[in-house]
Amino acid sequence: MIEVAKIESAAYEIMKRAAIHIPSDYKNGIKEMQRTETGPLPRFVLHTMVSNWDAADEDQRPMCADTGLPRYYVKVGNDARLDEGFIGLERALRRATAQATHDVPLRPNRVHPLWRTEHNNNVGINAPEIEWSFEPDVDWVDVTTVHKGGLFGTDYRMLFPGDGIDGIKRFVLDTLIAFGKRGLACQPAIVGVGIGGSKDTCMQLGKQAACLRTVGDRNPDPKIAELEMELMTLGNSIGMGAMGFVGSSMVIDCHIEVGYTHTGGMPVSVHTFCLSSRRATARLHSDGTVEYRTDPQWFTPYMRRESIEWPDQTAV
Amino acid sequence: MAGSDSGLKEIHLNLPATSSEVAALEPGTIVYLTGLVYTARERVYQKVLTEGADLPVDLRGISNVNFHCSPAAAADGKGGYTIGGVTATASFRFSKWMPEWLDLTGTRIVIGKGGMPQKDYERVLAPRGAIYLTTVGYGTGALLGRGIKRVRDVFWLEELGLAQAMWLFEVEKFGPFIVDSDLQGQSLFARHGEQINQGLGKLYEGLSPPALHRYGETDDREDELM
């Protein structure tokens, strides 16, 4: 049995960790880019960002004051049991959000979209978002939080099968150039590309690809993995670096996720996860223990399953 | 500190900055500030310039640096505030208020994210003796948070909320910032943008355009998208 009180304290903890500590995969990726970046100004930016992460660690303060729109991704093991059920879990996540907003502090970014009113705690109608997924044969619950700004760097486009890979490349370039100027996308970014599904799935897949996979991770489909590398190289050949200054570091990694789509279409979404790529995960075990990490491990083989049955009959 | 190995020029200014200090800043220079900085963004501009509210404090007398920012802050329960991270917000959205605001307040340094269109520098900021500093990154929230030594005051907190309120920060070695515009109205962002634009054609070579265009690719509403 997993106690909801434990979930609340773990959610509070990951809110804090995400806001303050940059994940090591991202930090290492940026350190690598410091070596290869060709422009003096973008190099200075990367250098300053590394100092900023050190300052955040030492002072225990948020690395970026725009603490984004805090949200959650919950993966529930099929054998997990919650003492207060799913409603209790959702309540715990909302409570943890409000408490962490005050304590860390996070910026209370969330306002009503029309009246601009707020509760000063990042909680409101449909906020924080909680997305759900499931995992067979385990009894734990994974709670991941992502803090991502949301004003620039994301786009959606309905392409068609005839537009091919060229169409995808053009669209990725369009988005990176448009939002890369003046550095509005806060690059170098983890670029997530959603391909397929319906329009909303396409957006969701792209966002999850950007926020829930780590630097260096490759899609298990070798051809998609190859396309990830190709898009990364393409983005880094724009001639643009951090803050839109002349340079070579736009894309720290590219992640693609796909979903079966309408036979006539090829919807594509592009998302950029910024220089403050904030994510943290807690795994709550049934015996009451909690483990923390920065790799959400969201896209499991089960998540990407293709057949009706699980385990996949063709894979056995 | 941060600029030491970059080969970029670095300057430390005490605030309020004098006219000659502002005039000496060149695009691409790294700047750190010590003194008093105030925050103001859309709701403050609206309140003062559109709704006609009086400035809550005589800015001319105390600070000539407008920071486009909203801090991650919380009341500490002892009448003061804990400032966590501090990061700028994108300034282009505020350009329509700049002429009146600069005239009213005598602001000489505008700090924000991403700069403003070069035309604003030429027509609005430079003629009023003002320049633009951009934050770095973006998202050096922890470094900038360190630079804030004290909240001297905050106005309209309840009415406008934490993010939109007007804050007065006492800062020390606050930065780094990069000079975007100078008093000639030049822009570092524009210069770099133009250089990057020259290579864009080559980047798209051989990539055939999609079958369906999008609204927004042309301003002509009579055009068909296919």
Side-chain angles (χ1 to χ4, degrees), chain B residues 12 21 54 61 80 111 121 151 157 187 196 202 205 216-217:
Chain B
H12 291 253
E21 284 168 338
D54 288 332
I111 309 177
Y121 296 150
V151 175
L157 181 62
S187 161
I196 290 164
K202 209 172 160 217
E205 254 171 35
E217 287 177 342

Side-chain angles (χ1 to χ4, degrees), chain A residues 268-288:
Chain A
V268 178
S269 74
V270 177
H271 297 251
T272 52
F273 201 19
C274 63
L275 268 167
S276 301
S277 282
R278 289 153 294 178
R279 54 171 139 75
T281 301
R283 175 163 295 178
L284 293 116
H285 293 280
S286 286
D287 63 7

Side-chain angles (χ1 to χ4, degrees), chain B residues 48-62:
Chain B
V48 175
L49 301 177
T50 314
E51 296 161 26
D54 288 332
L55 284 173
V57 57
D58 175 27
L59 286 175
R60 268 183 196 276
I62 56 169

